[in-house]
Amino acid sequence: MTKFDQDWAAREDAKRQWMTEHSLFREEDEHSSCGVGLVVSIDGSKSRKVVENGITALKAIWHRGAVDADGKTGDGAGIHVQIPHHFFGDQIRRTGHEARDGELLAVGQVFLPRTDFGAQETCRTIVESEVLRMGYYIYGWRHVPVNTECLGEKANATRPEIEQILISNTKGVDEETFERELYVIRRRIEKAAQAAGVSSLYICSLSCRSIIYKGMMLAEQVAVFYPDLMDERFESAFAIYHQRYSTNTFPQWWLAQPFRMLAHNGEINTINGNTNWMKSHEIRMASTTFGDMAEDIKPIIPQGASDSAALDAVFEVLVRAGRSAPMAKTMLVPEAWSKNAEELPQAWRDMYSYVNSVMEPWDGPAALAMTDGRWVCAGLDRNGLRPMRYVVTGDGLVIAGSEVGMVPTDEATVVEKGALGPGQLLAIDMAEGKLYHDVEIKDRLANARPFGDWVGKINDLEDELSGITETAYYTGAELKKRQIAAGYTIEELEQILAPMAEDGKEALASMGDDTPSAVLSTKYRPLSHFFRQNFSQVTNPPIDSLREFRVMSLKTRFGNLKNVLDEDSSQTEILVLDSPFVGNAQFDALKDHFNAPMTEIDCTFPVDGGPNALRDGLDRIRAEAEEAVRSGGGHIILTDQGQDEKNVAMPMILATSAVHSWLTRKGLRTFCSLGVRSAECIDPHYFAVLIGCGATIVNAYLAEDSLSDRIERGLLDCTLSEAVLRYRAAVDAGLLKIMAKMGISVISSYRGGLNFEAVGLSRALCAEFFPGMHSRISGIGIGGIQKKLLAVHKQGWLGGNTLPIGGFYKARKSGETHAWEAQSMHMLQSACDRASYEMWKQYSAKMQSNPPIHLRDLLDFKPLGKPVPIEEVESITSIRKRFVTPGMSLGALSPEAHRTLSIAMNRIGAKSDSGEGGESPDDFTPEPNGDNASAKIKQVASGRFGVTVEYLLACEELEIKVAQGAKPGEGGQLPGMKVTDLIAKLRHSTKGVTLISPPPHHDIYSIEDLAQLIYDLKQVNPRCKVTVKLVASSGVGTIAAGVAKAKADIILISGHNGGTGASPATSIKFAGLPWEMGLTEAHQVLAMNNLRERVTLRTDGGLRTGRDIVMAAMLGAEEYGIGTAALIAMGCIMVRQCQSNTCPVGVCTQDEALRAKFTGNADKVVNLITFYAQEVRELLASLGARSLDEVIGRADLLTQVSRGAAHLDDLDLNPLLISVDGADKIVYDRSKPRNAVPDTLDAQIVSDAARFLNDGEKMQLSYAVQNTHRTIGTRTSSHIVSKFGMRNALQPDHLTVKLTGSAGQSLGAFAAPGLKIEVSGDANDYVGKGLSGGTVVVRPPMHSPLVASENTIIGNTVLYGATDGYLFAAGRAGERFAVRNSGATAVIEGCGSNGCEYMTGGLAVILGSIGANFGAGMTGGMAYLYDPDGLALDLINMETLVTCPVTVDHWETQLRGLVERHAAETGSVKAKDILLHWDEQKGYFLQICPKEMLIHLPVPLAIERGAMPAE
Amino acid sequence: MAKEPMLKFVTVGRDMPSKRDAEDRKDDFLEIYGEYVEAKAEEQASRCSQCGVPYCQSHCPLHNNIPDWLRLTATGRLKEAYELSQATNTFPEICGRICPQDRLCEGNCVIEQSGHGTVTIGSVEKYITDTAWENGWVEMIAPTVEREESVGIIGSGPGGLAAADRLRRAGLKVTVYERSDRAGGLMMYGIPGFKLEKDIVLRRVKQLEDSGVEFVLNCNVGEDISFDAIRGKHDAVLIATGVYKSRDLKGPGSGSAGIVRALDYLTASNKVSFGDEVEDYLSGELNAADKKVVVIGGGDTAMDCVRTAIRQGATSVKCLYRRDRANMPGSQRETQNAEEEGVEFVWLSAPKGFAGDPVSGVMVQKMRLGQPDASGRQSPEVIEGADYVEDADLVIKALGFEPEDLPTLWGVEGLDVTRWGTVMADFKSHVTSLPGVYACGDIQRGASLVVWAIRDGREAADAMIEYIDQSVSVAAE
């Protein structure tokens, strides 16, 4: 029997409450993701089989969820089915009633407080009174039988009392009305419960149609816990099921899914914006549907709802207001439509255009299973980042879900197997008994209403405005005054603004940010500097805004946003622009088009207005805005143009947010647009902050005037209109990048979302003017801002006329402080050169004498006790082992520098990190002199360059780089000039050809995907630990908890100030948090969830002295990364030109001549680490500690010694210094074994293949598999490589493994030469991930009636990062087929969108249709498309490619050979057909080759001169 | 992407402006370096690697924004380059000529340090400002407000003039008191024309005069006017006299005729270049023509003396220095120039005494270098028994300068001096022990570079403006 501790839940709850208030932990940061699916009978007939299939499916997705430390408490699972009337009829009879025949029966599934009987009674009373108040009769309550044996300790402690209330439709209303009123009843109950202070009342479902059973058990235990589900009378026409994987571990029963209408796998990235806008929408959503009950349903999104719950709530309102489930999905999660390769039908476009005008998209990643009672649908969001596979069975069922094979189906009668693509929908109308495929349902929806008429009133102004001649407002001396008053510097104008106007994109920079946080700076810093951009990591992916731009949109609509629930043309009288960026003249022209009165509000305050001048000014503009809207104004323009000697400009970010939040609060925001004209606004980050604060459009007039001034001075050879056009292009690209960073595709969902974290803004200021945004350490308030503004205003309007030089990006004496400056670098270098600890001490003292740069600079130590003699402190050798040099790739670094780091770290038993880009196999063994240049940590990053079995085996630790401190949420690029012979060989690419690392890992779109990758890596390397590298951000703690549950062994929290080889300058500056905040949060949340002992915490990002190390230790880190300092020790002098391949000291260049200047050696690096260790040792002694372990996690030993500058409200670092209850009991043991993962089929294979592995005998093995058998072939390959090597002499089918059934994810991942896997059936996502020479064959079962080329046989992201080997699949693949393939050869029969993305090598033959955006970012390899209908060209992203027919013999032979082999391996009917008529069919092939590859081809293509497509 | 105009050190080598041949230049007092042509200046400026941490700026006493004006020069934006250069340096064209760049900006240039050959910062700096003068971009100072308050500056060297410029820009009235007959201090009479042609200095003095700075020449404080009188006339006073007392040599025969002080020698030569009649020059006492000349010392002044002697037509010129080449304080570049012109360096040699009266030779002790001292410099030790006599008709002592005893000379009470005799003043604000009295340049920090004097002068001026502002506001209350 499970132990039950009555007080545990209360204690735990109190602890979390306290942590929320005092620490860095925030409940709303918790994420969840999962496995999801549905089973539905197309004809709507109820059966036991449907329910049983649902239960079976739940048992087959356990691996997509997570388990708590007790091994039993799951993150939640549940099932949503129809109400079995027989079952409940019997129940009613038992209560002595008789359900009237044919009368509707409603059942409410209710969670009640279990231990507090008083509260339980209160809840019952509330529920009953609300039901009765609406006029319905109650049959009674039913105690739901449960079996608690299967629950984990925590789940049991928090288990609610679960009861059902049975309600009779005494009013005799129709089903729709009954459902709607039940909805209102439920909302009233929720509100009443809140008013009564009982928070633990939760209604899972209250419906006359369906019922939801869910809870905190493991997926496979749902039916065990609820014996009801096993009852033979329990029949249903559909079952929607869900398994949750959550980053939190406190069991919250109500957060289990499914919710009332939908179940969701993924994450709603736009949740902040959506929730904010709903506050405005709901005011007007008081539709006739609810009449005088309208007030009862507000707020539509209940407090504390997760993103999925919020989506469900809004979905439900739309359904209750009369939308069908497919329409509600289309409104909330529309597909991308405006930039599609293939023009969508006009009716669809009209529909989407309408939908976008009334509702901001809720963007995923999202796989949704939903029902409104009549319709059952499965759908994906616009990016299609989550898998949704479906099967239509011979007996009329549709089974859809995250994986194929969850429910065994009869292959002999199966009708269809498919996978949903981005934005697609599969809908079953149970009433009609019809299955609608994507096109069918959208046609039906689009033609159901006259959307075309409604959208006729959209006024697209883009064409008109783009023809306008731009003009400047201010010139000469006046311009200069305004520039200075706006805080402009020469650096900003020259290095930031000018490149944008010249090139249409942002300038690149490199290395890390070593300047103070804005709050610690003594200089004037624009308000935008206090905002850190949010970004995605692990729980949701960033988007590639460059290569996958089709899903992104900056379309800016303004005008009156009417009631979302109205369906008529009144809401579409709106103006549309392509971007929120508006030029000066465009802005003036735009005013003429305004369709409602406009009010311009002056955002300045008087110089002599006293200490409250700014505050008074903000109150004034709020009042003016409110007044304007109340008197019918539809457009508000905020401007700071009115500044002069006597009047100071407000920071427009503050002004905008003040007005936006005020109007939102007053329910007026959707009545008007908000135009902003700002002097300060110059870079994309400032634009993003303004829009995030609620601005509809932005005019950066002073930036434009500055460009005009450049043109006047002859520095820009173009017209102002052209310059502004390019500037706009750069800002647009920057905005897209910033949105994509956190996975948001559409600007309307970003607007007003405040997707930032403030560092150093006062809490009071945030609460009032930036409601909803985190500011966890407080800082500058209104008074301080005013003081700073007055100073900069004085400089501009009353001072000299020279712009300050700058120094924010690159150090200048008169500019911002930089931690690394000439003298300190010189001291560090001489210390390392001469092995002089004396000199190091001077260096360290110098660093400490800097003005405060980091938060930790405001802290100091409290001793543990009396100082101890230094001999008693742990040795330098022992301390040194805790150091790592973080991932810096060979490619960014020169080979010399890269090797030196590894050799040095290996000599002292510490670790270096290979970075992304492979390593030479020659280095995997020590040199004759004993030095070892093989990095002990091998990195697996999004580009997967050089990631082979061999590489993965040559290490002690594998690091998954989810994000990089300098540019979290962004990808990278190694320019062609840096790709030398060596680099190309290691990365399996071609010399001189640019390489792209995508922003996301295409096999990590969600937390369970990360768990899968960790599983894969632990399969391939049976010994290594797995590290996950995260970047400090708010919410990184909960992410770390999820990562710990995913079985990672080490979590690295990188600070934002880590370096990079190349990145846009503003990315380096404005994303991510200091490690102090991220590390502390991770430590606190892990400790709180009892997960801290499972993992080792590591941190990096600007650790410069022993003092920094001890601080990091006290804040929770056990290991420490030293990047920039190690480079400096090797000779780097922070030239910050890494991106240009001209590093004068040979550290960061591939240029032979410059590499010759490299003066670094291993001794210098060893000295460096030794100095750190020695200083740590001395500090420990002085603090009275004998080892680092004694101070790890002891934040209580730190004390804040400075509250920052005098003008700040308060700079409170206490949230950093919180200790979690019980944290003192944590044992830190870095030498513990890795977290074990379960075995897979390979355990059996390896044992059965003993003769092969021991003696090299040829063998053939055969097994039946299902989707829970994941990562098959990987461990076997690991053994093959250990035994025979990567470049072995084995036959390609030396070991053949034959499988029957649906193989789980990562089939054949990293398969090595000599291994052949043949699947008769199908496979899930990630087939052939990292394929390293093996062969994978997937074909339908012999007896399958399916046409292979029309059905999906393998999942998403196949052959990701493959380097060698073969894949043959007789069927279609999902999205992102062969993404980043660099050497594998594949033949398949069709694929989804983004096929062959970023491919750098290998061959792909596709014998069927392809999806959109094929070949985006493809820079190597070759593809052949069979395209008899000539549809492919529209779907190819031609940016880097050329195409031609296959006419050259060499290529034709290659193609034919592959098609023949495909036919032989898979028995493909299609391949045989093509071969039969080869001479005729070969003309239907299209050959696709990257432009950059043309010069490297052994035989030229058939491209005639001039036939090359225009760029 | 627009073409990167910078980082050309990878492909373009270092190239100084042409230097006149030794044969050609050793007969006149004109500058030895030519001027860049525009294209060359642009090319050389484009070699800059635009460092994230500009070592050149860090090692420039004025913290000039060097990478920035190099970039502007490379892209042909000379006027802006001038404005930027002028913003941190009062006399960029003078620094460009006489700064020991090899020890400051250029010596620490990252490109130099990593073995690519430095960016020729000094030559570009000189080119920028000379071009500005040619094009009339250098304008008179026109303060936005004229103020009533005034400042007196004692000394018209680089420190005094830099302060005068800055004070005048703030609208204050400025009077400069100069002991000599021409303004400019060491820039006028200390530095020979072949390093700094005198019209360069004159046009700066004229610019200040035109801008309203009043110069009182031939005015020896303590004789022609008392220090207290100056203090009485002005709201604040800046002492910028420089250090003029020569360090002397002891030993037998040190008082003999034919042993002269470097500064007397150089001043005479410079005056002669103006066409002035200089008695001691005419008498031959300060003229090296047809003499065997020995200069004692290894600093920049010694280099100026030897090269002046060459130009005056000495039969031989030798330079005696007690350490070796690597340990000499003077600029390596100047040493090389001197050697090219025919100067012979006698390293590791210290004078022990002098033979004859008038002098006929220097008794020399040979030295060797011992252990490095605390400063890292190796101290010389005598090699016993290796003495010899170096023939000489004219011996010039260039052993450095020390401050004169100002409190006594001027009869000022309460002006504190350090144990080295320099005026004690705060290193940031330059205020002395007397309220309203400031000191800058060599008289505060001891003999040093022109560039340091400029920095001090600017800093002192800022502090004085602040002081006067405060006094005014106190008075108004």
Side-chain angles (χ1 to χ4, degrees), chain A residues 199 398 424 461 529 575 591 595 609 669 880 998 1059 1198 1296 1336 1417 1490 1495 1497:
Chain A
S199 55
V398 174
Q424 288 186 352
L461 295 173
H529 288 204
L575 308 174
K591 290 184 194 169
N595 50 7
R669 177 63 183 89
R880 281 196 310 204
L1198 291 169
T1296 302
V1336 178
I1495 50 167
L1497 294 178

Side-chain angles (χ1 to χ4, degrees), chain A residues 1108-1351:
Chain A
D1108 289 347
I1109 304 293
V1110 176
M1111 292 251 172
M1114 289 179 175
L1115 293 173
E1118 296 159 79
E1119 297 182 342
Y1120 320 95
I1122 307 294
T1124 305
L1127 295 184
I1128 292 173
M1130 293 194 299
C1132 166
I1133 34 187
M1134 301 280 283
V1135 174
R1136 288 187 188 268
Q1137 297 287 2
C1138 318
Q1139 75 276 13
S1140 53
N1141 203 24
T1142 59
C1143 176
V1145 289
V1147 172
C1148 199
T1149 175
Q1150 302 303 325
D1151 182 311
E1152 294 269 358
L1154 295 171
R1155 277 166 52 193
K1157 305 285 185 193
F1158 182 70
T1159 57
N1161 60 46
D1163 291 334
K1164 295 184 185 181
V1165 181
V1166 169
N1167 288 339
L1168 175 81
I1169 304 295
T1170 308
F1171 295 152
Y1172 272 107
Q1174 192 163 344
E1175 197 174 9
V1176 167
R1177 194 163 180 246
E1178 288 175 5
L1179 267 169
L1180 289 176
S1182 74
L1183 293 171
R1186 287 177 176 80
S1187 72
L1188 257 177
D1189 277 335
E1190 282 177 50
V1191 301
I1192 286 168
R1194 292 292 306 274
D1196 57 309
L1197 295 177
L1198 291 169
T1199 171
Q1200 188 172 355
V1201 290
S1202 159
R1203 314 291 286 191
H1207 66 272
L1208 302 179
D1209 278 10
D1210 182 21
L1211 188 56
D1212 175 20
L1213 298 185
N1214 274 320
L1216 296 182
L1217 308 181
I1218 294 301
S1219 293
V1220 179
D1221 245 11
D1224 48 329
K1225 298 193 182 64
I1226 297 171
V1227 177
Y1228 300 99
D1229 178 11
R1230 291 163 49 247
S1231 58
K1232 61 183 175 285
R1234 76 177 190 181
N1235 293 318
V1237 292
D1239 275 333
T1240 182
L1241 186 64
D1242 277 51
Q1244 188 66 44
I1245 299 176
V1246 169
S1247 124
D1248 292 343
R1251 288 185 197 161
F1252 162 70
L1253 288 170
N1254 294 337
D1255 309 324
E1257 284 182 25
K1258 191 162 188 165
M1259 289 184 77
Q1260 197 235 63
L1261 309 170
S1262 187
Y1263 306 92
V1265 290
Q1266 70 174 103
N1267 72 314
T1268 48
H1269 289 123
R1270 297 173 295 146
T1271 322
I1272 298 175
T1274 306
R1275 176 63 61 79
T1276 311
S1277 298
S1278 166
H1279 285 288
I1280 292 176
V1281 171
S1282 305
K1283 173 86 184 171
F1284 306 106
M1286 264 268 287
R1287 286 157 294 278
N1288 58 42
L1290 299 173
Q1291 301 296 309
D1293 59 350
H1294 219 104
L1295 176 65
T1296 302
V1297 177
K1298 292 192 179 237
L1299 307 170
T1300 316
S1302 294
Q1305 298 170 86
S1306 301
L1307 171 73
F1310 305 106
L1315 176 65
K1316 179 176 181 184
I1317 299 174
E1318 282 182 37
V1319 180
S1320 168
D1322 45 22
N1324 277 291
D1325 294 350
Y1326 320 135
V1327 174
K1329 174 192 288 190
L1331 192 68
S1332 299
T1335 305
V1336 178
V1337 177
V1338 188
R1339 57 180 167 75
M1342 288 307 200
H1343 51 282
S1344 171
L1346 297 178
V1347 179
S1349 58
E1350 287 167 10
N1351 288 279

Side-chain angles (χ1 to χ4, degrees), chain A residues 333-354:
Chain A
V333 194
E335 71 179 310
W337 59 279
S338 59
K339 282 187 255 177
N340 277 43
E342 264 182 309
E343 195 84 331
L344 295 176
Q346 189 58 43
W348 293 25
R349 295 173 62 80
D350 289 343
M351 172 174 70
Y352 288 127
S353 180
Y354 158 79

Side-chain angles (χ1 to χ4, degrees), chain A residues 502-566:
Chain A
E502 281 165 18
D503 304 330
K505 49 183 152 183
E506 282 187 79
L508 291 180
S510 51
M511 307 208 67
D513 179 11
D514 61 346
T515 53
S517 301
V519 67
L520 296 177
S521 174
T522 53
K523 306 281 169 196
Y524 174 75
R525 299 277 290 263
L527 204 57
S528 62
H529 288 204
F530 291 82
F531 290 72
R532 314 289 310 182
Q533 298 160 11
N534 285 354
F535 58 92
S536 307
Q537 52 184 348
V538 180
T539 51
N540 50 352
I543 302 170
D544 186 338
S545 64
L546 293 174
R547 265 74 57 172
E548 299 185 5
F549 65 93
R550 284 196 171 94
V551 297
M552 309 281 304
S553 169
L554 293 176
K555 277 258 188 224
T556 292
R557 298 176 171 73
F558 55 118
N560 211 334
L561 295 166
K562 298 275 166 52
N563 186 351
V564 175
L565 293 182
D566 283 345

Side-chain angles (χ1 to χ4, degrees), chain A residues 490 494 502-503 710 713 715 805 810-813 820 822 825 1133-1135 1137 1140 1142 1144-1145 1154 1157, chain B residues 1-2 7 9-10 49-55 57-58 63 65 67-68 71 77 80 84 110 114-116:
Chain A
I490 292 178
E494 296 288 330
E502 281 165 18
D503 304 330
R710 279 185 90 77
R713 287 189 287 145
L715 301 175
I805 189 80
K810 291 186 172 184
R812 287 293 181 270
K813 200 73 190 179
W820 290 110
M825 277 192 274
I1133 34 187
M1134 301 280 283
V1135 174
Q1137 297 287 2
S1140 53
T1142 59
V1145 289
L1154 295 171
K1157 305 285 185 193
Chain B
M1 191 163 169
L7 314 177
F9 69 93
V10 181
S49 101
Q50 299 285 292
C51 297
V53 178
Y55 280 63
Q57 180 183 54
S58 308
H63 303 309
N65 290 306
D68 305 288
R71 187 182 179 91
R77 297 160 64 180
E80 289 169 78
L84 202 57
V110 158
S114 52
H116 304 270

Side-chain angles (χ1 to χ4, degrees), chain A residues 421-439:
Chain A
Q424 288 186 352
L425 193 55
L426 187 73
I428 294 98
D429 182 350
M430 294 187 296
E432 205 185 338
K434 186 166 175 199
L435 164 66
Y436 287 87
H437 285 93
D438 187 58
V439 173

Side-chain angles (χ1 to χ4, degrees), chain A residues 955-1203:
Chain A
C955 67
E956 291 176 0
E957 188 181 315
L958 284 169
E959 176 182 280
I960 301 171
K961 180 181 89 173
V962 173
Q964 184 176 345
K967 47 175 177 181
E970 288 184 56
Q973 216 178 81
L974 190 68
M977 64 180 173
K978 275 193 159 184
V979 183
T980 59
D981 280 325
L982 174 71
I983 303 293
K985 193 176 130 214
L986 300 182
R987 298 197 177 199
H988 297 259
S989 67
T990 311
K991 181 185 179 177
V993 175
T994 300
L995 298 175
I996 296 165
S997 301
H1001 285 253
H1002 283 293
D1003 57 355
I1004 312 178
Y1005 293 149
S1006 188
I1007 186 87
E1008 74 269 14
D1009 291 350
L1010 175 73
Q1012 177 61 35
L1013 178 58
I1014 292 174
Y1015 186 78
D1016 294 341
L1017 295 178
K1018 289 195 170 179
Q1019 286 300 321
V1020 76
N1021 187 325
R1023 294 167 309 278
C1024 74
K1025 292 191 176 183
V1026 174
T1027 305
V1028 175
K1029 176 175 182 175
L1030 303 172
V1031 171
S1033 68
S1034 65
V1036 75
T1038 49
I1039 290 172
V1043 171
K1045 291 208 278 185
K1047 304 279 168 94
D1049 304 289
I1050 300 164
I1051 297 175
L1052 165 57
I1053 306 285
S1054 263
H1056 71 93
N1057 35 15
T1060 171
S1063 169
T1066 55
S1067 301
I1068 296 177
K1069 287 291 186 182
F1070 302 121
L1073 293 185
W1075 61 254
E1076 290 96 316
M1077 294 176 75
L1079 172 67
T1080 315
E1081 190 188 323
H1083 178 72
Q1084 286 170 356
V1085 177
L1086 287 170
M1088 188 170 92
N1089 287 315
N1090 298 329
L1091 291 165
R1092 181 63 185 83
E1093 278 186 24
R1094 278 205 199 178
V1095 293
T1096 299
L1097 269 185
R1098 180 184 290 166
T1099 198
D1100 65 22
L1103 298 171
R1104 305 191 184 96
T1105 61
R1107 182 177 184 273
D1108 289 347
I1109 304 293
V1110 176
M1111 292 251 172
M1114 289 179 175
L1115 293 173
E1118 296 159 79
E1119 297 182 342
Y1120 320 95
I1122 307 294
T1124 305
L1127 295 184
I1128 292 173
M1130 293 194 299
C1132 166
I1133 34 187
M1134 301 280 283
V1135 174
R1136 288 187 188 268
Q1137 297 287 2
C1138 318
Q1139 75 276 13
S1140 53
N1141 203 24
T1142 59
C1143 176
V1145 289
V1147 172
C1148 199
T1149 175
Q1150 302 303 325
D1151 182 311
E1152 294 269 358
L1154 295 171
R1155 277 166 52 193
K1157 305 285 185 193
F1158 182 70
T1159 57
N1161 60 46
D1163 291 334
K1164 295 184 185 181
V1165 181
V1166 169
N1167 288 339
L1168 175 81
I1169 304 295
T1170 308
F1171 295 152
Y1172 272 107
Q1174 192 163 344
E1175 197 174 9
V1176 167
R1177 194 163 180 246
E1178 288 175 5
L1179 267 169
L1180 289 176
S1182 74
L1183 293 171
R1186 287 177 176 80
S1187 72
L1188 257 177
D1189 277 335
E1190 282 177 50
V1191 301
I1192 286 168
R1194 292 292 306 274
D1196 57 309
L1197 295 177
L1198 291 169
T1199 171
Q1200 188 172 355
V1201 290
S1202 159
R1203 314 291 286 191

